[in-house]
Amino acid sequence: MIIEIGIIAGDIWYYLDQHGSVTLSVLVKGIGKSRDNVLMSLGWLAREGHVLLEQLSDDYKVSLRKDEK
């Protein structure tokens, strides 16, 4: 399962890099994976500091963290 979570995390990173900030529901549909697996992978990415999550009224906005250089 940990390998699948890592692969989906890569899919999420790539999707966000190509599409910019999206809602969680759009992300789940866009990468075609189960919501549970997407949430586990987002948790991993968030813990590592790679994504930002912002709570909206009925969803979450997900975006890549872009380091200022």
Side-chain angles (χ1 to χ4, degrees):
M1 183 65 158
I2 193 73
I3 292 172
E4 185 175 356
I5 292 168
I7 290 169
I8 294 170
D11 293 344
I12 291 169
W13 192 96
Y14 182 77
Y15 187 90
L16 293 173
D17 189 49
Q18 296 299 307
H19 296 92
S21 298
V22 296
T23 62
L24 176 59
S25 55
V26 168
L27 179 62
V28 170
K29 288 178 189 171
I31 64 170
K33 305 296 181 187
S34 77
R35 184 177 173 89
D36 287 345
N37 286 350
V38 170
L39 288 171
M40 287 186 272
S41 300
L42 276 175
W44 180 357
L45 290 168
R47 175 66 178 92
E48 295 293 320
H50 297 297
V51 295
L52 298 171
L53 300 166
E54 179 184 337
Q55 187 170 5
L56 305 174
S57 60
D58 61 345
D59 209 344
Y60 289 89
K61 180 176 142 185
V62 184
S63 56
L64 284 178
R65 171 170 276 172
K66 301 287 186 177
D67 291 331
E68 305 277 331
K69 293 187 180 186

